[in-house]
Amino acid sequence: LYGIKSKTALLNAERSGRIPEAQRDEKNFRKWLIADLPAIGSLYGPIEKPKDFKFTVLCVFTVKGGVLKTTITYVLARLLALHGLKVLIVGNDPQTSITQVVLNPLVKNKSLEDLPKYSDLGDIIFEDIPLSEVIQKTNLPTLDLLPETKALSEVADTMATLAALAASKGKPEATKGRHEYFAEVLNPLIQAAGYDIAIYDNGPGLGALSENALYASDYWITPNACDQGSYQVFEENFNLVLDFARRKNKSWRRIFLVPTVKETTNLSKQIYGTYLTKFPTYVTSASIRNTVKAQEALALGASPPEVFLESDIGTDFMELTLEIWNEILKNQKG
C-alpha cells in the first residue's frame, strides 16, 4: 500500500518509535493493527502533508445519480486518512448513502435503524449540538463521519425558509442565504476541531443542501459515467452548477471532472474521448473503471487499494487521489 521495499527500514522505524510497535500473532508473525496504518502511511506513503497545510474542503457532487459519487468520497477520504491526514466525511444526502457505507461494515447484520440514535449536520447548525457529539468514529483514528439522517430534507427546507423570510422583510443580511450555512457555520467548527480535510458527499439534484456544499468547498469533484445516459445529460447539468456559481460569485480552485464506470466498449471509449475533447480543463488524467471490485472493497469497510492492491481498480483510485492531492498542494504553495 505504501510502497515500502525495505524490511530493515521498517523495523528500524519501529525500534526508534517513529511507527507503532507491531503485534505478534500465534505463529509469531509481526502484524500491525489497522489503526496503526495512518502513522505508518504518514512516514512512508506517497501522500505527504506539509507542516503548514491549510484546512481544505472538497465537495463530491454530480446532478445525476449512479456515477460513483459516494464511492469516490469514501475511497478518497480513506486513502488520505491512511496517510495520516485527519479527515471528516460530511454526509449531505437524505438517502444516507455515505452513512450506510461507513457505518454498516462496523456493525455486521444491522441496519441504520438498529444503531444508537445519532444526529446530523442540521442539529449542529440549528440546535447548537457540539460537533464532537455527532461525529461517528471509524476503524481509522484519522477518519471520522458526520452522519446523515433522512431528516436532512427538513434541514434544506429550514435553510430556504429562513432566507426567504429575511428577504421578505427587506433585510437579507439578517440571516444567511440558503447557500451559506455550511461555509459560515459548519466549516469553522470542523476546522476548529482539528481536521485537515472535510469532504461533503451529496445526493443527486441541485438544491439547498448541495448548494451549501458547493459554496463551502475549495474544490468541486464531479464524477461522470462513460455511458450514454450520463453523457446525454452531463453538459446541461454541468452548466446548471456553473450558473449557480456565477450567481453566487463562487469559484473553485479546481474542478475535477472524473470519468467513471469506464469500459472497453467502443461507446464507452467514445464518450470518454468526448469528455476529454470538450472539457480538457476539467477532466482528470485518472479515470475509474467499471468493476465490482470497488463495491466489494466498500462492503469490507476498506478502499480498493487496500483490498486489491495489484489490481487496475486499486491503481485507478490511487492515481486519482494523488492527482487531487498534488493539485491541492500546488495551490497551497501558490
Side-chain angles (χ1 to χ4, degrees), residues 5 37 72 75 80 86 99 150 176 193 219 231 240 248 300 305 307 330:
K5 303 298 183 183
L37 293 180
I72 286 178
V75 175
L80 292 174
K86 190 173 182 184
T99 298
K150 290 179 171 55
K176 297 164 183 56
Y219 298 88
Y231 172 70
L240 189 67
K248 303 306 178 184
L300 296 172
V307 182
K330 183 180 75 173

Side-chain angles (χ1 to χ4, degrees), residues 14 35 47 59 69 113 184 190 196 210 263 267 273 289:
E14 181 188 23
I47 296 173
C59 172
K69 288 190 301 291
E113 287 70 24
E184 297 194 9
I190 296 172
D196 299 307
S210 53
E263 298 182 328
L267 178 61
R289 279 164 253 240

